[in-house]
Amino acid sequence: MKIARGRRIGQSFGMLLGLFGATGIGMTHLIFPGLHCYACPWAITICPIGLAQNLIVFGTVPYYWIAMIVLYGLAAGRGFCGWFCPFGTLNDLLSFRKVKIRDTVSYSKFFVLIGTLLAAWVFTDTVFCKLCPASSLEASIPYLFMGIARVNRPFLIHMGTLAATLVGMVLIARFWCRYLCPMGALLSLFNRVSFLRLKLDEKRCSRCAACTSDCPMGIEPHTQHDNHNCIKCGRCVDGCHLNALSMDFSLKDSP
Amino acid sequence: MAHRSAVVRNLRRTMVVIASSFSVLLSIGAFAQSPILQISLKPGELSIPRGSSASTSLQVANTSIHEADEIEIVLLSESLTMVPVAVIEVLDPFETTSIDVWLTVPDESPEGEREALFEIVYTYCIGDLCFQILEELSLTLNVHPPSETTVEPIVPPIVGPVKPAAPPQWPAIVPIMLGILLVGALVLARWVGRRWWIVLMLLAVMGGGFGLGLRFGQDQQAQSIGAVLCTSCVGIEEAPRREPSLSASAREALERIAEPIELLFFTATWCQACPYAKAMVDQAVEIQPGISVRVVDVDEDKDTARLHGIVQSERTIVPAIYRADTDRVLFGIEDLETRLIELLEESP
């Protein structure tokens, strides 16, 4: 249960960072290592996907953005989805049905990512933000209570995408993270190089697949421990009775 | 069953952590939106001989994704004179500009250190609401006796904004090389797993990215993008360009109104949504002549605007429709028809 506790602290810390603006601190220069809306009234960090779209609209070569993404990717890859991202935490809370992932379908998040960037270029607008369920929850709803947003068509579209995503999350654990999250797609590119990784000791593994039933992403850790969908949450490590799986933060080459 | 209770326990603990962090933060809660222009005077201190003139430069940077309009500088200190400065009509997102401000100290002015106070006025629109921002700026003046050798500077009659030279462009090969290095490293990683040289390639991309990004002030740009409300994220509708048309039910409701009603319509030349709101009010008056409307330009009659709550903490918000006898005000044009009818139907 050690990892579970650490992860809860990590997720609480992610949420705390996401809402730290409530202390009166304004927007900083930091890019959030997850999907957290910068229009959230209490955000002090910039949404990487929102920023990428804006940079495309303004025709900027995004050096700073790339550097930040590489930094996060290299450090933990999708580990941020499992340990830090507030929207990932919401996915976690609704993770009731840990069904097996459809590997080919999981590439859909790359289409979302490419579509997001292309739409920003074609329409010179932040199209993804108009649909993003994270901003529905973190920006639209707070602003409705503040009297700035009103129930109109764009607002209802936001609520629609949020409701659809919530239903998806209830039916399939980590639905958003598995199939739709563009930030997850970005970080997953780094999953095989990141310093934080899931290690498998094949000599100890009995292929009992106990880890599979624990995995919120629906992958099989005992056969795909470096899968691009792995969010490194460590549930499989806690669930493995033979201690064949372990979490590791090292600079060594992978075997 | 044991597994299920563990899940429930886990869920409960997580909920408690989230709820407590939420409540702590919300109780501290404060919400402030940043101004969209960064304004400064360079130099912030001037030494002027009595009866003579000197200039300082007003530096204006738009740090937002919104266009700032009609940026005007006004001298508040009455004992000084300023050469009229041209209004900066438009300052595009992330653009900077500077403008020379010439000040003259009269002959009879006392010597010593004093403050010159300026007011900067500008406007911008987010969605269907437009804001006018007033900011005060001060300059330290050191007035000293005129020396015989002082040469009077040539004062230009009207000073216009000066566009700074564009930042140097980096050769296209640099981003292309960084892109190739990044994609190459990621493809190789997928193929062979982590190797020290792949990590090295990524570290090179990261170093290059941070170096160039900070050199071009992209961290500042990112902060500026984040600091301004993303209307797409919230779901705020942009100002419509079409004419409004009142629905049949609204027309009926208007016809039923028996009492005469006095409205104040607050508008401004820089307000993009005002024509739409004004057209709707005009249609209402056409149907119900008992409604009288007085149009107030907030720039010309700031006192009336202030009196009726249109100017709040030096922010003017238009369009606004004010009903005198109920002391109620409507802002913006979102769902205006319903809100306007509600405003008119309310009994005083």
Side-chain angles (χ1 to χ4, degrees):
Chain A
M1 291 307 281
K2 248 188 183 167
I3 291 181
R5 193 166 302 140
R7 203 162 66 88
R8 241 182 336 256
I9 294 170
Q11 287 180 322
S12 307
F13 190 69
M15 208 162 287
L16 206 74
L17 179 71
L19 300 169
F20 209 69
T23 57
I25 296 174
M27 185 57 67
T28 62
H29 297 201
L30 267 181
I31 296 175
F32 197 84
L35 195 73
H36 177 61
C37 187
Y38 56 166
C40 170
W42 306 285
I44 59 163
T45 51
I46 309 143
C47 169
I49 302 300
L51 179 62
Q53 293 174 82
N54 271 297
L55 294 177
I56 289 174
V57 169
F58 292 114
T60 310
V61 182
Y63 297 111
Y64 179 69
W65 181 86
I66 287 175
M68 281 292 221
I69 297 294
V70 173
L71 173 71
Y72 294 142
L74 210 48
R78 287 207 78 177
F80 285 106
C81 308
W83 286 69
F84 205 76
C85 175
F87 204 64
T89 309
L90 177 72
N91 275 261
D92 239 12
L93 290 174
L94 301 176
S95 289
F96 303 115
R97 297 186 66 235
K98 295 168 185 167
V99 292
K100 194 174 178 324
I101 195 165
R102 289 177 187 275
D103 224 4
T104 35
V105 183
S106 77
Y107 284 100
S108 56
K109 56 184 175 292
F110 289 100
F111 286 102
V112 176
L113 175 66
I114 294 165
T116 299
L117 305 181
L118 266 181
W121 187 51
V122 174
F123 300 106
T124 56
D125 197 1
T126 50
V127 179
F128 175 77
C129 295
K130 293 180 197 288
L131 304 170
C132 175
S135 63
S136 312
L137 183 71
E138 295 158 4
S140 302
I141 294 176
Y143 275 109
L144 183 73
F145 288 109
M146 287 175 171
I148 292 175
R150 288 183 214 113
V151 181
N152 53 21
R153 210 164 57 107
F155 183 85
L156 290 174
I157 291 173
H158 263 298
M159 291 306 109
T161 54
L162 177 62
T165 314
L166 287 176
V167 170
M169 287 180 202
V170 172
L171 295 178
I172 300 168
R174 289 252 178 193
F175 169 73
W176 176 258
C177 310
R178 284 182 185 202
Y179 299 120
L180 295 171
C181 184
M183 185 57 188
L186 260 180
L187 289 175
S188 75
L189 295 171
F190 295 86
N191 242 9
R192 291 199 70 179
V193 262
S194 64
F195 296 143
L196 181 74
R197 62 181 165 183
L198 185 66
K199 256 174 72 177
L200 174 72
D201 185 346
E202 297 211 7
K203 285 180 204 141
R204 287 188 176 187
C205 179
S206 67
R207 311 261 178 247
C208 70
C211 49
T212 306
S213 63
D214 280 336
C215 181
M217 292 297 282
I219 56 177
E220 293 176 352
H222 64 288
T223 57
Q224 318 165 291
H225 66 282
D226 55 1
N227 187 290
H228 72 276
N229 281 312
C230 176
I231 55 168
K232 304 172 189 189
C233 64
R235 275 179 200 244
C236 52
V237 178
D238 280 342
C240 180
H241 307 296
L242 299 168
N243 293 332
L245 286 159
S246 59
M247 294 294 285
D248 180 33
F249 192 89
S250 81
L251 310 182
K252 282 188 200 146
D253 286 358
S254 50
Chain B
M1 269 330 272
H3 179 66
R4 177 171 288 181
S5 70
V7 169
V8 170
R9 207 169 48 237
N10 229 350
L11 203 71
R12 210 166 44 209
R13 277 194 201 152
T14 319
M15 295 283 256
V16 168
V17 171
I18 292 167
S20 47
S21 25
F22 251 107
S23 52
V24 167
L25 287 166
L26 287 180
S27 58
I28 308 167
F31 161 63
Q33 206 189 314
S34 328
I36 71 160
L37 293 187
Q38 278 181 1
I39 306 163
S40 61
L41 286 168
K42 266 190 188 163
E45 205 176 323
L46 274 186
S47 182
I48 314 182
R50 223 172 42 220
S52 177
S53 303
S55 78
T56 178
S57 171
L58 177 78
Q59 313 271 331
V60 188
N62 185 352
T63 59
S64 82
I65 55 169
H66 299 289
E67 171 187 296
D69 298 311
E70 295 183 30
I71 307 163
E72 197 181 350
I73 178 165
V74 182
L75 177 68
L76 296 177
S77 310
E78 283 175 1
S79 57
L80 301 165
T81 50
M82 183 178 80
V83 176
V85 176
V87 173
I88 303 167
E89 293 292 342
V90 182
L91 190 61
D92 287 326
F94 308 117
E95 287 279 310
T96 53
T97 188
S98 67
I99 193 163
D100 282 341
V101 177
W102 285 86
L103 286 175
T104 309
V105 178
D107 283 328
E108 64 278 9
S109 186
E111 285 163 23
E113 214 176 82
R114 57 201 283 201
E115 291 263 289
L117 215 60
F118 299 93
E119 187 177 71
I120 319 290
V121 190
Y122 63 95
T123 67
Y124 72 98
C125 299
I126 295 180
D128 65 11
L129 284 181
C130 292
F131 303 90
Q132 186 183 56
I133 310 290
L134 298 180
E135 272 187 50
E136 281 195 358
L137 212 61
S138 72
L139 174 77
T140 310
L141 281 184
N142 196 357
V143 181
H144 55 85
S147 65
E148 281 168 21
T149 53
T150 306
V151 181
E152 290 268 322
I154 305 153
V155 180
I158 297 272
V159 189
V162 188
K163 262 203 160 193
Q169 288 296 309
W170 214 262
I173 191 76
V174 176
I176 291 171
M177 285 306 286
L178 278 180
I180 291 172
L181 207 58
L182 175 66
V183 173
L186 292 175
V187 170
L188 287 170
R190 185 128 180 84
W191 200 15
V192 297
R194 169 140 48 92
R195 294 284 178 272
W196 63 269
W197 45 271
I198 293 179
V199 173
L200 212 62
M201 280 165 82
L202 288 172
L203 285 175
V205 173
M206 194 177 91
F210 274 126
L212 291 168
L214 297 178
R215 158 96 171 68
F216 295 141
Q218 287 187 350
D219 56 324
Q220 180 65 44
Q221 183 192 19
Q223 191 264 351
S224 307
I225 290 173
V228 172
L229 186 62
C230 161
T231 48
S232 303
C233 304
V234 182
I236 294 175
E237 225 154 8
E238 296 296 322
R241 307 256 176 250
R242 61 192 154 74
E243 278 274 298
S245 82
L246 287 171
S247 66
S249 60
R251 284 165 189 273
E252 278 171 29
L254 281 168
E255 280 163 5
R256 279 199 300 273
I257 294 169
E259 301 290 316
I261 294 171
E262 197 190 322
L263 294 180
L264 290 185
F265 183 84
F266 292 92
T267 183
T269 46
W270 39 266
C271 167
Q272 291 170 14
C274 289
Y276 178 90
K278 180 71 175 50
M280 188 173 279
V281 172
D282 286 347
Q283 281 184 24
V285 174
E286 219 167 87
I287 298 162
Q288 179 50 264
I291 304 169
S292 62
V293 183
R294 184 156 74 89
V295 179
V296 180
D297 187 315
V298 287
D299 286 329
E300 284 167 14
D301 192 354
K302 192 133 267 175
D303 292 337
T304 310
R306 204 165 267 145
L307 190 70
H308 297 108
I310 313 303
V311 182
Q312 294 171 8
S313 52
E314 293 314 309
R315 260 159 205 260
T316 310
I317 311 166
V318 278
I321 304 167
Y322 175 81
R323 181 173 164 180
D325 50 2
T326 55
D327 195 29
R328 265 199 57 189
V329 63
L330 294 184
F331 291 110
I333 54 167
E334 185 55 51
D335 199 18
L336 184 62
E337 184 186 289
T338 320
R339 292 191 299 139
L340 183 65
I341 298 298
E342 265 174 30
L343 180 85
L344 295 172
E345 280 182 331
E346 200 178 26
S347 50

Short mmCIF file of all heavy atoms in Angstrom, two decimals, chain B residues 67-103:
data_model
loop_
_atom_site.label_atom_id
_atom_site.label_comp_id
_atom_site.label_asym_id
_atom_site.label_seq_id
_atom_site.Cartn_x
_atom_site.Cartn_y
_atom_site.Cartn_z
N GLU B 67 -6.77 42.33 -28.18
CA GLU B 67 -6.29 43.57 -28.76
C GLU B 67 -6.66 44.73 -27.83
O GLU B 67 -7.79 44.80 -27.36
CB GLU B 67 -6.99 43.66 -30.11
CG GLU B 67 -6.88 44.91 -30.86
CD GLU B 67 -7.80 44.85 -32.08
OE1 GLU B 67 -7.58 44.00 -32.96
OE2 GLU B 67 -8.74 45.66 -32.11
N ALA B 68 -5.69 45.60 -27.55
CA ALA B 68 -5.99 46.78 -26.73
C ALA B 68 -6.25 47.95 -27.66
O ALA B 68 -5.56 48.11 -28.68
CB ALA B 68 -4.82 47.09 -25.81
N ASP B 69 -7.28 48.75 -27.36
CA ASP B 69 -7.66 49.84 -28.27
C ASP B 69 -7.59 51.19 -27.57
O ASP B 69 -7.76 51.28 -26.36
CB ASP B 69 -9.09 49.63 -28.77
CG ASP B 69 -9.23 48.34 -29.57
OD1 ASP B 69 -8.40 48.14 -30.46
OD2 ASP B 69 -10.14 47.55 -29.28
N GLU B 70 -7.40 52.20 -28.38
CA GLU B 70 -7.47 53.60 -27.96
C GLU B 70 -6.70 53.87 -26.66
O GLU B 70 -7.27 54.28 -25.65
CB GLU B 70 -8.93 54.04 -27.83
CG GLU B 70 -9.62 53.99 -29.17
CD GLU B 70 -11.06 54.48 -29.11
OE1 GLU B 70 -11.35 55.32 -28.26
OE2 GLU B 70 -11.87 54.01 -29.92
N ILE B 71 -5.41 53.62 -26.73
CA ILE B 71 -4.56 53.85 -25.55
C ILE B 71 -4.20 55.34 -25.51
O ILE B 71 -3.62 55.86 -26.46
CB ILE B 71 -3.29 52.98 -25.61
CG1 ILE B 71 -3.68 51.51 -25.83
CG2 ILE B 71 -2.45 53.15 -24.35
CD1 ILE B 71 -2.56 50.64 -26.30
N GLU B 72 -4.56 55.98 -24.44
CA GLU B 72 -4.40 57.43 -24.36
C GLU B 72 -3.68 57.80 -23.07
O GLU B 72 -3.92 57.19 -22.03
CB GLU B 72 -5.81 58.04 -24.36
CG GLU B 72 -5.82 59.49 -24.69
CD GLU B 72 -7.23 60.07 -24.66
OE1 GLU B 72 -8.20 59.30 -24.57
OE2 GLU B 72 -7.34 61.30 -24.69
N ILE B 73 -2.79 58.77 -23.16
CA ILE B 73 -2.10 59.23 -21.95
C ILE B 73 -2.55 60.67 -21.64
O ILE B 73 -2.59 61.52 -22.53
CB ILE B 73 -0.56 59.10 -22.06
CG1 ILE B 73 0.10 59.63 -20.80
CG2 ILE B 73 -0.01 59.78 -23.29
CD1 ILE B 73 1.55 59.22 -20.66
N VAL B 74 -2.92 60.89 -20.40
CA VAL B 74 -3.40 62.22 -19.97
C VAL B 74 -2.55 62.66 -18.79
O VAL B 74 -2.28 61.88 -17.89
CB VAL B 74 -4.88 62.12 -19.52
CG1 VAL B 74 -5.42 63.49 -19.12
CG2 VAL B 74 -5.75 61.50 -20.61
N LEU B 75 -2.12 63.92 -18.81
CA LEU B 75 -1.34 64.46 -17.69
C LEU B 75 -2.30 64.98 -16.63
O LEU B 75 -3.19 65.78 -16.91
CB LEU B 75 -0.43 65.58 -18.18
CG LEU B 75 0.40 66.29 -17.12
CD1 LEU B 75 1.46 65.36 -16.55
CD2 LEU B 75 1.05 67.53 -17.69
N LEU B 76 -2.17 64.50 -15.40
CA LEU B 76 -3.08 64.92 -14.34
C LEU B 76 -2.55 66.11 -13.56
O LEU B 76 -3.32 66.89 -13.02
CB LEU B 76 -3.34 63.76 -13.37
CG LEU B 76 -4.06 62.53 -13.95
CD1 LEU B 76 -4.18 61.45 -12.89
CD2 LEU B 76 -5.45 62.88 -14.47
N SER B 77 -1.21 66.25 -13.52
CA SER B 77 -0.62 67.35 -12.74
C SER B 77 -0.86 68.68 -13.48
O SER B 77 -0.41 68.84 -14.62
CB SER B 77 0.87 67.13 -12.56
OG SER B 77 1.09 65.83 -12.09
N GLU B 78 -1.54 69.60 -12.80
CA GLU B 78 -1.96 70.83 -13.50
C GLU B 78 -0.84 71.84 -13.67
O GLU B 78 -0.89 72.68 -14.56
CB GLU B 78 -3.13 71.46 -12.75
CG GLU B 78 -4.42 70.72 -13.04
CD GLU B 78 -5.59 71.23 -12.23
OE1 GLU B 78 -5.39 72.17 -11.44
OE2 GLU B 78 -6.67 70.66 -12.38
N SER B 79 0.16 71.77 -12.81
CA SER B 79 1.22 72.79 -12.88
C SER B 79 2.23 72.53 -14.00
O SER B 79 3.18 73.28 -14.18
CB SER B 79 1.94 72.85 -11.53
OG SER B 79 2.44 71.57 -11.26
N LEU B 80 2.03 71.46 -14.75
CA LEU B 80 2.96 71.14 -15.84
C LEU B 80 2.19 71.16 -17.15
O LEU B 80 0.96 71.06 -17.16
CB LEU B 80 3.54 69.74 -15.66
CG LEU B 80 4.32 69.47 -14.39
CD1 LEU B 80 4.50 67.98 -14.20
CD2 LEU B 80 5.67 70.15 -14.48
N THR B 81 2.90 71.26 -18.26
CA THR B 81 2.21 71.12 -19.55
C THR B 81 2.85 69.99 -20.33
O THR B 81 4.05 69.73 -20.21
CB THR B 81 2.27 72.41 -20.38
OG1 THR B 81 3.62 72.83 -20.42
CG2 THR B 81 1.39 73.50 -19.82
N MET B 82 2.01 69.31 -21.10
CA MET B 82 2.50 68.17 -21.89
C MET B 82 2.16 68.42 -23.35
O MET B 82 1.06 68.88 -23.67
CB MET B 82 1.80 66.89 -21.40
CG MET B 82 2.28 65.65 -22.09
SD MET B 82 1.49 64.17 -21.45
CE MET B 82 -0.06 64.22 -22.28
N VAL B 83 3.09 68.13 -24.22
CA VAL B 83 2.82 68.23 -25.65
C VAL B 83 1.80 67.15 -25.99
O VAL B 83 1.96 66.01 -25.56
CB VAL B 83 4.12 68.02 -26.45
CG1 VAL B 83 3.86 68.03 -27.94
CG2 VAL B 83 5.12 69.08 -26.08
N PRO B 84 0.72 67.49 -26.72
CA PRO B 84 -0.29 66.47 -27.01
C PRO B 84 0.32 65.20 -27.63
O PRO B 84 1.17 65.28 -28.50
CB PRO B 84 -1.22 67.16 -28.01
CG PRO B 84 -0.99 68.61 -27.82
CD PRO B 84 0.40 68.77 -27.32
N VAL B 85 -0.13 64.07 -27.11
CA VAL B 85 0.39 62.78 -27.58
C VAL B 85 -0.70 62.07 -28.37
O VAL B 85 -1.85 62.03 -27.93
CB VAL B 85 0.80 61.92 -26.36
CG1 VAL B 85 1.25 60.54 -26.82
CG2 VAL B 85 1.91 62.60 -25.59
N ALA B 86 -0.36 61.55 -29.53
CA ALA B 86 -1.35 60.87 -30.36
C ALA B 86 -1.85 59.60 -29.66
O ALA B 86 -1.09 58.91 -28.99
CB ALA B 86 -0.73 60.50 -31.70
N VAL B 87 -3.13 59.34 -29.83
CA VAL B 87 -3.72 58.13 -29.24
C VAL B 87 -3.23 56.91 -30.02
O VAL B 87 -3.17 56.93 -31.24
CB VAL B 87 -5.27 58.22 -29.32
CG1 VAL B 87 -5.92 56.92 -28.87
CG2 VAL B 87 -5.78 59.39 -28.50
N ILE B 88 -2.84 55.86 -29.30
CA ILE B 88 -2.46 54.61 -29.98
C ILE B 88 -3.76 53.88 -30.27
O ILE B 88 -4.45 53.43 -29.35
CB ILE B 88 -1.53 53.76 -29.09
CG1 ILE B 88 -0.29 54.57 -28.69
CG2 ILE B 88 -1.13 52.47 -29.81
CD1 ILE B 88 0.54 53.94 -27.58
N GLU B 89 -4.13 53.82 -31.54
CA GLU B 89 -5.45 53.28 -31.90
C GLU B 89 -5.58 51.82 -31.52
O GLU B 89 -6.53 51.41 -30.88
CB GLU B 89 -5.69 53.45 -33.42
CG GLU B 89 -5.81 54.91 -33.87
CD GLU B 89 -7.06 55.61 -33.36
OE1 GLU B 89 -7.99 54.89 -32.95
OE2 GLU B 89 -7.09 56.86 -33.33
N VAL B 90 -4.62 50.99 -31.97
CA VAL B 90 -4.70 49.55 -31.72
C VAL B 90 -3.33 49.04 -31.32
O VAL B 90 -2.33 49.43 -31.92
CB VAL B 90 -5.15 48.78 -32.99
CG1 VAL B 90 -5.27 47.30 -32.70
CG2 VAL B 90 -6.46 49.31 -33.52
N LEU B 91 -3.28 48.19 -30.30
CA LEU B 91 -2.04 47.49 -29.99
C LEU B 91 -2.36 45.99 -30.00
O LEU B 91 -3.12 45.50 -29.16
CB LEU B 91 -1.48 47.92 -28.63
CG LEU B 91 -0.07 47.42 -28.31
CD1 LEU B 91 0.94 47.94 -29.32
CD2 LEU B 91 0.36 47.82 -26.92
N ASP B 92 -1.82 45.31 -30.99
CA ASP B 92 -2.15 43.89 -31.18
C ASP B 92 -1.57 43.03 -30.06
O ASP B 92 -0.66 43.45 -29.36
CB ASP B 92 -1.60 43.43 -32.54
CG ASP B 92 -2.44 43.98 -33.68
OD1 ASP B 92 -3.66 44.11 -33.48
OD2 ASP B 92 -1.88 44.31 -34.74
N PRO B 93 -2.09 41.79 -29.92
CA PRO B 93 -1.57 40.89 -28.88
C PRO B 93 -0.05 40.73 -28.99
O PRO B 93 0.48 40.59 -30.10
CB PRO B 93 -2.27 39.58 -29.17
CG PRO B 93 -3.52 39.96 -29.87
CD PRO B 93 -3.22 41.19 -30.63
N PHE B 94 0.61 40.79 -27.86
CA PHE B 94 2.06 40.60 -27.73
C PHE B 94 2.89 41.65 -28.46
O PHE B 94 4.09 41.49 -28.62
CB PHE B 94 2.48 39.19 -28.18
CG PHE B 94 1.70 38.13 -27.49
CD1 PHE B 94 0.88 37.28 -28.21
CD2 PHE B 94 1.73 38.01 -26.12
CE1 PHE B 94 0.12 36.32 -27.57
CE2 PHE B 94 0.98 37.06 -25.47
CZ PHE B 94 0.18 36.21 -26.19
N GLU B 95 2.25 42.72 -28.90
CA GLU B 95 3.00 43.81 -29.53
C GLU B 95 3.47 44.77 -28.44
O GLU B 95 2.86 44.87 -27.37
CB GLU B 95 2.09 44.58 -30.49
CG GLU B 95 1.78 43.83 -31.77
CD GLU B 95 2.88 43.95 -32.78
OE1 GLU B 95 3.33 45.08 -33.03
OE2 GLU B 95 3.31 42.91 -33.32
N THR B 96 4.56 45.45 -28.74
CA THR B 96 4.99 46.51 -27.83
C THR B 96 5.14 47.79 -28.63
O THR B 96 5.34 47.74 -29.85
CB THR B 96 6.34 46.19 -27.17
OG1 THR B 96 7.25 45.90 -28.21
CG2 THR B 96 6.26 45.04 -26.22
N THR B 97 5.02 48.88 -27.97
CA THR B 97 5.23 50.15 -28.64
C THR B 97 5.76 51.15 -27.62
O THR B 97 5.69 50.90 -26.41
CB THR B 97 3.93 50.66 -29.30
OG1 THR B 97 4.23 51.80 -30.08
CG2 THR B 97 2.86 51.02 -28.29
N SER B 98 6.30 52.25 -28.12
CA SER B 98 6.74 53.29 -27.19
C SER B 98 6.38 54.64 -27.79
O SER B 98 6.21 54.78 -29.01
CB SER B 98 8.24 53.19 -26.94
OG SER B 98 8.92 53.51 -28.11
N ILE B 99 6.23 55.61 -26.92
CA ILE B 99 5.82 56.92 -27.39
C ILE B 99 6.53 57.96 -26.51
O ILE B 99 6.69 57.75 -25.31
CB ILE B 99 4.28 57.01 -27.30
CG1 ILE B 99 3.71 58.18 -28.04
CG2 ILE B 99 3.77 57.00 -25.89
CD1 ILE B 99 2.23 58.03 -28.31
N ASP B 100 7.03 59.04 -27.14
CA ASP B 100 7.75 60.06 -26.36
C ASP B 100 6.76 61.02 -25.71
O ASP B 100 5.81 61.47 -26.35
CB ASP B 100 8.70 60.85 -27.27
CG ASP B 100 9.95 60.04 -27.57
OD1 ASP B 100 10.22 59.09 -26.80
OD2 ASP B 100 10.64 60.33 -28.56
N VAL B 101 7.01 61.31 -24.46
CA VAL B 101 6.16 62.24 -23.71
C VAL B 101 7.01 63.44 -23.33
O VAL B 101 7.99 63.31 -22.61
CB VAL B 101 5.60 61.55 -22.44
CG1 VAL B 101 4.77 62.53 -21.63
CG2 VAL B 101 4.77 60.33 -22.81
N TRP B 102 6.64 64.62 -23.88
CA TRP B 102 7.40 65.86 -23.61
C TRP B 102 6.70 66.68 -22.55
O TRP B 102 5.52 66.99 -22.68
CB TRP B 102 7.54 66.68 -24.89
CG TRP B 102 8.55 66.09 -25.84
CD1 TRP B 102 8.33 65.13 -26.77
CD2 TRP B 102 9.92 66.43 -25.92
NE1 TRP B 102 9.48 64.83 -27.43
CE2 TRP B 102 10.49 65.62 -26.94
CE3 TRP B 102 10.76 67.32 -25.24
CZ2 TRP B 102 11.84 65.69 -27.27
CZ3 TRP B 102 12.09 67.39 -25.60
CH2 TRP B 102 12.61 66.57 -26.60
N LEU B 103 7.46 67.04 -21.52
CA LEU B 103 6.90 67.83 -20.43
C LEU B 103 7.61 69.18 -20.36
O LEU B 103 8.82 69.26 -20.57
CB LEU B 103 7.10 67.11 -19.10
CG LEU B 103 6.21 65.91 -18.82
CD1 LEU B 103 6.65 65.27 -17.52
CD2 LEU B 103 4.75 66.32 -18.74
#
